Amino acid sequence: MPQYPGTPSTLSPGATHRLVDVPGGRIHLVEQGTGPLVLLVHGFPESWYSWRRQLPAIAAAGFRAVAVDVRGYGRSSKPREVEAYGMLAHVADNVGVVHALGAQTATVVGHDWGSPIAAHSALLRPDVFTAVGLLSVPYTPPGGPRPTDVYSRFGGDEEFYISYFQEYGRAEAEMEPDVRGWLAGFYAAVSGDTRSVDGPKPYMVSAGGRLRDRFPVDVRPGWLSDEELDVYASEFEWAGMSGALNRYRNVDRDWADLAAWRGLPLTQPSLFVGGAADPTMDWMAKAVDAFPTTMPNLIASHVLPDCGHWIQQERAEEVNAILTDWLKLLPGQEWHGIDAS
């Protein structure tokens, strides 16, 4: 498999960039460590880089940590067709990565959009993904009302951000003229230390307005340095925003494609970690309450106080401890030199 040279300053010692072939194209990834495979799947608008603080910790715990650029992001393939970003394609990419790395099984961990991608990877391919960890976004089984019908009812006269993202080119026109500034505002809007709890909801859009109209101005989360923001901005300035946004544009297609799995639980050993100051926890509270039914083998669930949406970056040490403790508890880890007792 080819090596991708990457940017050395973004890597911890012992981590390497690679490009691997999957049936749908190529996936760029960063890996560190040896042992059982742990696949890390990022969300919007991030990249493999959102796991930069987890890669060395998971590797030090005795695992092979692999953080991917999801299709449409970074150095991974970017099909032109919107329908190429459906959930089935993302699951196939994850399976392809596992096999390209010479493994048969993996634990999959996702954050934000990476959380439902991880969950559906486990749901559709339990033979490959033997455990699943979800950060910030709880699992909801396939089914229920059509997603865009639900989102259209959010907020009354205002528009929910997922509805705002549906029209190709509309959100791009807001984001791409100032990628760095837009990202900085979006990260601050739902970060625990910069979120305006009493202000206008940053995930709603006023009639005729833009999403960024409600972002904090000239405020930077404590977890995000200038250099780290530059890494994110350079990735999206190079790749554009459409590949990332196309995930949102497939919610109704996913609803139809996943009908055969309607209402099914995740039965693998699982983990959930959320932030108490993350607005996602407000509108998805019922999904958390349903865990005894939807995730019956949930090993641990944590909600971190004063933490926002970017959980593994805002509270890296806590999340690292939670993840590695959970990984060591998974069945079969004693066969890899890890004491799971």
Side-chain angles (χ1 to χ4, degrees):
M1 288 169 284
Q3 294 285 327
Y4 178 76
T7 306
S9 63
T10 67
L11 292 175
S12 59
T16 57
H17 284 278
R18 300 175 75 176
L19 285 166
V20 300
D21 293 323
V22 299
R26 296 209 292 176
I27 295 294
H28 168 247
L29 58 85
V30 176
E31 64 176 321
Q32 185 167 359
T34 59
L37 180 60
V38 180
L39 187 65
L40 304 170
V41 187
H42 68 81
F44 175 89
E46 300 175 278
S47 73
W48 75 267
Y49 190 63
S50 67
W51 302 104
R52 63 195 177 279
R53 298 186 177 108
Q54 283 67 55
L55 287 165
I58 294 172
F63 297 85
R64 184 184 185 186
V66 171
V68 298
D69 275 340
V70 171
R71 68 164 57 196
Y73 288 82
R75 276 72 171 169
S76 292
S77 293
K78 300 168 187 64
R80 289 184 178 274
E81 301 81 9
V82 172
E83 58 269 21
Y85 296 84
M87 184 61 73
L88 296 180
H90 288 287
V91 171
D93 285 346
N94 284 350
V95 173
V97 167
V98 172
H99 292 162
L101 293 173
Q104 297 300 314
T105 61
T107 294
V108 61
V109 179
H111 169 256
D112 183 78
W113 254 126
S115 177
I117 292 173
H120 286 89
S121 296
L123 181 67
L124 274 61
R125 292 302 303 271
D127 57 319
V128 176
F129 299 103
T130 56
V132 57
L134 308 178
L135 275 58
S136 298
V137 177
Y139 173 61
T140 55
R146 185 182 298 273
T148 55
D149 292 342
V150 175
Y151 302 145
S152 68
R153 296 194 292 268
F154 278 25
D157 294 335
E158 296 182 327
E159 188 176 17
F160 190 48
Y161 78 104
I162 297 179
S163 299
Y164 180 69
F165 288 169
Q166 291 301 303
E167 180 184 344
Y168 191 95
R170 183 185 181 196
E172 287 92 332
E174 172 184 333
M175 300 171 184
E176 290 180 347
D178 177 24
V179 169
R180 191 177 191 275
W182 192 91
L183 290 173
F186 190 70
Y187 295 147
V190 288
S191 185
D193 60 344
T194 50
R195 176 191 175 196
S196 177
V197 178
D198 299 323
K201 295 180 175 65
Y203 47 86
M204 303 300 295
V205 181
S206 300
R210 306 171 302 169
L211 193 62
R212 71 181 302 164
D213 293 341
R214 296 183 174 185
F215 293 170
V217 178
D218 296 326
V219 175
R220 182 73 55 78
W223 56 268
L224 184 68
S225 69
D226 282 341
E227 292 76 15
E228 290 168 325
L229 178 59
D230 285 341
V231 172
Y232 282 124
S234 65
E235 290 290 270
F236 286 105
E237 287 168 346
W238 180 82
M241 301 299 299
S242 291
L245 289 164
N246 284 343
R247 174 82 287 274
Y248 292 93
R249 295 164 182 156
N250 277 273
V251 291
D252 283 349
R253 181 172 289 105
D254 296 340
W255 177 77
D257 288 345
L258 297 168
W261 291 270
R262 182 183 179 94
L264 292 183
L266 288 178
T267 58
Q268 294 94 323
S270 56
L271 167 74
F272 177 73
V273 190
D278 182 354
T280 307
M281 294 292 288
D282 296 333
W283 71 68
M284 298 197 75
K286 291 183 179 179
V288 175
D289 293 340
F291 280 165
T293 299
T294 61
M295 297 170 65
N297 287 315
L298 184 69
I299 291 177
S301 180
H302 303 263
V303 177
L304 305 184
D306 304 316
C307 183
H309 186 68
W310 318 106
I311 189 165
Q312 76 268 34
Q313 298 176 90
E314 293 185 47
R315 303 286 271 275
E317 291 186 6
E318 288 175 73
V319 170
N320 289 349
I322 290 168
L323 281 175
T324 54
D325 286 349
W326 171 70
L327 289 167
K328 292 175 184 179
L329 289 173
L330 295 177
Q333 300 307 332
E334 64 274 11
W335 298 107
H336 301 280
I338 299 169
D339 182 4
S341 61

